[in-house]
Amino acid sequence: MASASIPFKRLVRFIPRSDSSKIFIGQPHDDTLDVGLALRNGQDVKVDVFSGTSVLSPGQATGTSAVIDRVLSPLHISEVGTIRCVGLNYKQHAAEVNMALPTVPTVFLKPATALGDPWPAPTVLPKLTQLDDCGDYESELAVVLGRTAKNVPESEALDYVLGYTACNDVSSRTSQFAQSQWSFSKGFDTSCPLGPTLVSPALIPDPSKLRVRGVKNGDQLLQDCGTDDLIFSVAQLVSFISQGTTLPAGTVIITGTPAGVGVGKKPKVTIKAGDEFHVEILPHIGTLVNVFENEE
């Protein structure tokens, strides 16, 4: 399945206003609409409904339309397996945390239970994170594989990509820095909100030409960087992570965060209950909106 054969431009998975018991897959009517921002601003978002029930097999347009009531992560928790994550993958971010550029990708894992939906679903700060106010944001480009990959050469890696979306690699820094392994501190429930749009490689043939921005509470621009600052490209990451390892269709790879994370700021910036964070990736992908609340 080469990327050119993918029968969609942008997909959303959503609960329609007409029937809260259903979940649909479809393509927004307006190719240019920032779905996440539009929904947050109270706009109606109309979608051409597809025949499939998953972005992994979306089917075709049915000729019917629906209005989004609540947008979901493009993938269901049962489809992502283990989320592959890459640390320290932007040159400017390595500089801000005073670390040498890695010579191979640093890979860690998030469990499927970390997957979260965009707003209005809450992004939850665990009790551990609340103890010393150590919640942090990480705006990231996410890659979703459309077919099983193993031992993929770099030259063929992008052919395995189903689409691109936005992610916030929500982090709990005290737990992270207390250990040499990051899977625990990065794997809390809802710590991997994803979405809302999954964008075809037909629209993004070169993922190094995107712009990633992180904005807190509407007016604090905290991250702003091009994906041309990546240390390891998307093709390099897909190839590397697939070596000796079967990556099923639906595997999510999050590609690292640019400079500007809260722990690197002076004074540091943290995420608290009530904060709203936007991960914006342009063109085409748009904005992932997350509103945080405390675990009770």
Side-chain angles (χ1 to χ4, degrees), residues 21-225:
S21 68
K22 295 186 181 300
I23 295 176
F24 288 159
I25 302 294
Q27 186 158 270
H29 280 197
D30 184 346
D31 288 342
T32 65
L33 184 69
D34 187 324
V35 172
L37 273 187
L39 291 170
R40 187 64 173 122
N41 292 334
Q43 295 176 236
D44 286 352
V45 177
K46 295 181 179 179
V47 177
D48 292 320
V49 177
F50 276 46
S51 58
T53 58
S54 168
V55 296
L56 299 178
S57 184
Q60 302 293 329
T62 62
T64 62
S65 64
V67 175
I68 295 177
D69 181 57
R70 184 157 67 90
V71 72
L72 305 172
S73 164
L75 293 155
H76 185 265
I77 192 172
S78 64
E79 296 179 306
V80 300
T82 304
I83 300 162
R84 269 64 173 191
C85 317
V86 181
L88 203 69
N89 196 32
Y90 280 79
K91 301 178 185 75
Q92 293 176 33
H93 177 47
E96 77 175 341
V97 294
N98 297 312
M99 295 182 71
L101 297 187
T103 56
V104 296
T106 300
V107 180
F108 62 97
L109 306 178
K110 284 179 181 270
T113 48
L115 186 69
D117 293 326
W119 175 89
T123 303
V124 179
L125 294 169
K127 294 176 182 179
L128 270 178
T129 310
Q130 299 168 41
L131 288 176
D132 59 355
D133 184 26
C134 70
D136 208 346
Y137 52 86
E138 292 193 5
S139 304
E140 303 205 16
L141 172 68
V143 180
V144 178
L145 301 188
R147 58 180 172 130
T148 299
K150 184 176 182 181
N151 294 330
V152 175
E154 185 181 329
S155 60
E156 299 174 12
L158 294 185
D159 291 338
Y160 288 78
V161 174
L162 175 67
Y164 300 96
T165 189
C167 174
N168 192 340
D169 177 17
V170 181
S171 302
S172 297
R173 297 303 188 189
T174 299
S175 295
Q176 180 182 357
F177 298 149
Q179 301 178 359
S180 61
Q181 304 295 317
W182 299 345
S183 292
F184 173 71
S185 62
K186 299 270 197 166
F188 298 134
D189 293 351
T190 77
S191 67
C192 191
L194 200 70
T197 57
L198 182 72
V199 179
S200 167
L203 291 184
I204 305 176
D206 185 353
S208 72
K209 295 183 177 179
L210 299 170
R211 192 83 188 175
V212 179
R213 299 193 337 144
V215 182
K216 179 183 174 186
N217 294 334
D219 60 359
Q220 291 180 258
L221 177 61
L222 299 172
Q223 296 183 283
D224 187 4
C225 187

